[in-house]
Amino acid sequence: MEVKAITKFVRVSAFKARNMTRHIQGMPVNDAMDLLRFSPQKAARLVSKTLKTAIANAENNDALDPETLIVKEAVVGEGPTIKRFRPRARGSAGHIRKRTSHIRIILTEKPEDLERKKTKVKKKTAAKKTAAKKTAAKKPAPKKKAETKAETESNTKE
């Protein structure tokens, strides 16, 4: 079962908030909360709020145990940019962009998806190794210098 929470129009740039969401993706909820609690960034506080909301949604709406939840997806998208101007020298103006973002967190109950991904990665690496061995076996052995000299001499005589 998936549970999600969305916080819109948050006054932090998406670039700064994405840094925090990358860290918590795939983590158990308790570990993610600890990581966000001890991070000094403003974005960590805002992502933590959204994560708490998702946990509350899971408990109240779907009767899930927070101990079994993991962060399946944590995405930050850009929101609208508030544009302001600051006066500069000689009557010009400097542009100020106050960026906003939308934070979306999806929680899931079991870490089965992560185990499947790990096995897929293992299968892919094993397949790459066997493919490399097959291509190495198909390549002809390099000719020795004596053989190549004899062949070139016989080719020139003809």
Side-chain angles (χ1 to χ4, degrees):
M1 165 128 337
E2 290 184 355
V3 179
K4 73 177 175 178
I6 301 172
T7 306
K8 291 187 171 188
F9 306 107
V10 178
R11 272 288 288 123
V12 68
S13 74
F15 183 80
K16 293 175 184 176
R18 275 188 203 115
N19 193 21
M20 296 311 306
T21 56
R22 270 190 216 109
H23 291 301
I24 66 166
Q25 211 159 10
M27 292 178 81
V29 169
N30 293 334
D31 295 343
M33 285 300 296
D34 289 340
L35 183 96
L36 293 170
R37 187 177 299 124
F38 295 111
S39 295
Q41 288 88 356
K42 176 184 175 181
R45 185 173 47 85
L46 298 168
V47 171
S48 174
K49 258 180 143 174
T50 309
L51 183 60
K52 285 178 186 175
T53 304
I55 294 168
N57 289 344
E59 282 182 300
N60 296 322
N61 299 343
D62 299 323
L64 297 175
D65 183 25
E67 300 293 324
T68 62
L69 297 173
I70 63 163
V71 180
K72 179 181 179 186
E73 188 178 312
V75 180
V76 178
E78 289 186 16
T81 301
I82 304 167
K83 295 177 177 97
R84 299 287 181 259
F85 297 100
R86 185 175 184 99
R88 293 292 181 196
R90 299 183 184 180
S92 65
H95 299 280
I96 297 173
R97 288 178 216 90
K98 296 185 176 187
R99 301 187 186 270
T100 61
S101 57
H102 305 310
I103 302 169
R104 184 180 77 213
I105 294 180
I106 298 175
L107 304 178
T108 186
E109 195 172 13
K110 298 281 181 184
E112 294 171 4
D113 298 334
L114 296 175
E115 292 173 13
R116 287 183 196 153
K117 285 182 184 177
K118 287 179 185 176
T119 55
K120 284 182 183 179
V121 169
K122 287 179 184 176
K123 287 178 184 177
K124 284 181 183 178
T125 53
K128 285 181 183 178
K129 287 179 183 177
T130 55
K133 287 180 183 177
K134 287 179 182 177
T135 55
K138 288 180 182 179
K139 291 181 182 176
K143 296 180 180 179
K144 294 180 183 176
K145 288 184 180 180
E147 291 176 5
T148 56
K149 285 181 183 177
E151 287 178 7
T152 53
E153 288 176 7
S154 63
N155 290 340
T156 55
K157 289 179 183 178
E158 294 174 357

